[in-house]
Amino acid sequence: MLRKFSLSIFLGLTLVAVADDRSDLENIKAMEADIDILTERVGPFSQELFNPLMQLARLQLDFELREDAVDTLHRAQHIAHRNEGVYTTAQLPVIELLASLALKGEEFDDANRHKFFAFFITTHAFDQSAPEILSAHADLANWYMHTGQPRRARNIIDEAIEIAQTTDRDTLPFDILANQTRRLEGTCCNPRLLVNRSEEHTSELQSPDHL
């Protein structure tokens, strides 16, 4: 009796999973049909297609349709290029997804290329004093560090420190990252230097000029 009960539960769960899969597939088909209708109305290169295509790509990824998602992302990126130029920041979420997919597929050169292109776009789209510039440097440096490329990370960090100094911003976060890259390379610096730098940073924040 227990065996029959267990089997019925298993079959029930299987049917639910199949129903969920069918629902996901139907959602994808419905979204593709909606995009086709929109394309006929606004044209194949309309900016109005960008967000629906991004939604479709994410749904395809949820359903593990990797190749379909990559094609959809490239279409969205092409539309962004056509409407806002090759270096538009609108394509950054596309590039981030493509980099993530390339990394999962162990396509490391492509992943690196996507991440550097995102960095290139950001650093050319904003003025050096904009917070996005240092954020882009930190993002790429962390990418390089977590993918076993400490020397490349240090080059980006050195550039960020120079920008921070030029624009009168604190370099401590990048000093810490630089220390981490040296540890990864086996050329670690004296940790006391970071302690001193941290104490200086705290003193600066507590000074009357910062209160």
Side-chain angles (χ1 to χ4, degrees):
M1 184 69 179
L2 180 60
R3 183 177 177 182
K4 289 183 179 179
F5 180 70
S6 300
L7 182 59
S8 66
I9 291 176
F10 172 76
L11 290 174
L13 291 174
T14 302
L15 289 172
V16 169
V18 171
D20 286 345
D21 287 349
R22 185 177 298 133
S23 176
D24 286 338
L25 284 171
E26 289 173 353
N27 287 337
I28 290 173
K29 293 297 183 184
M31 190 173 292
E32 288 174 341
D34 289 342
I35 290 173
D36 287 342
I37 292 171
L38 181 61
T39 301
E40 290 180 6
R41 183 169 63 83
V42 299
F45 306 117
S46 172
Q47 185 66 26
E48 290 183 45
L49 291 168
F50 183 82
N51 287 332
L53 286 170
M54 292 300 294
Q55 292 172 4
L56 174 60
R58 291 188 175 98
L59 186 58
Q60 289 167 331
L61 289 175
D62 288 342
F63 200 59
E64 298 184 358
L65 299 173
R66 182 180 183 275
E67 291 184 4
D68 291 343
V70 169
D71 289 342
T72 303
L73 288 169
H74 281 308
R75 184 180 172 190
Q77 187 176 22
H78 181 65
I79 285 172
H81 288 176
R82 287 283 298 244
N83 286 275
E84 301 182 28
V86 176
Y87 302 124
T88 173
T89 58
Q91 66 188 310
L92 290 176
V94 178
I95 298 170
E96 289 299 326
L97 284 173
L98 288 172
S100 177
L101 287 170
L103 186 62
K104 287 179 181 178
E106 297 186 355
E107 299 164 351
F108 302 120
D109 288 342
D110 284 345
N112 261 342
R113 179 172 54 81
H114 289 310
K115 291 297 291 188
F116 185 79
F117 186 46
F119 170 80
F120 180 85
I121 289 170
T122 303
T123 53
H124 283 74
F126 297 94
D127 184 82
Q128 279 201 338
S129 60
E132 287 85 357
I133 296 298
L134 290 184
S135 293
H137 280 77
D139 182 60
L140 186 60
N142 277 305
W143 167 270
Y144 282 149
M145 286 200 318
H146 291 120
T147 52
Q149 305 173 82
R151 183 167 298 179
R152 286 184 173 181
R154 189 151 50 84
N155 290 337
I156 295 296
I157 291 165
D158 289 344
E159 184 177 310
I161 289 173
E162 184 177 344
I163 292 171
Q165 290 172 338
T166 303
T167 55
D168 293 325
R169 282 177 287 179
D170 183 43
T171 65
L172 179 59
F174 291 99
D175 291 332
I176 293 171
L177 285 176
N179 187 308
Q180 292 173 348
T181 60
R182 291 188 181 94
R183 286 176 181 273
L184 289 173
E185 288 183 296
T187 57
C188 179
C189 56
N190 184 351
R192 182 62 197 170
L193 295 175
L194 280 182
V195 174
N196 292 340
R197 182 68 190 87
S198 179
E199 290 173 350
E200 291 172 6
H201 178 65
T202 302
S203 298
E204 289 171 1
L205 291 179
Q206 292 175 345
S207 69
D209 292 338
H210 285 83
L211 298 177

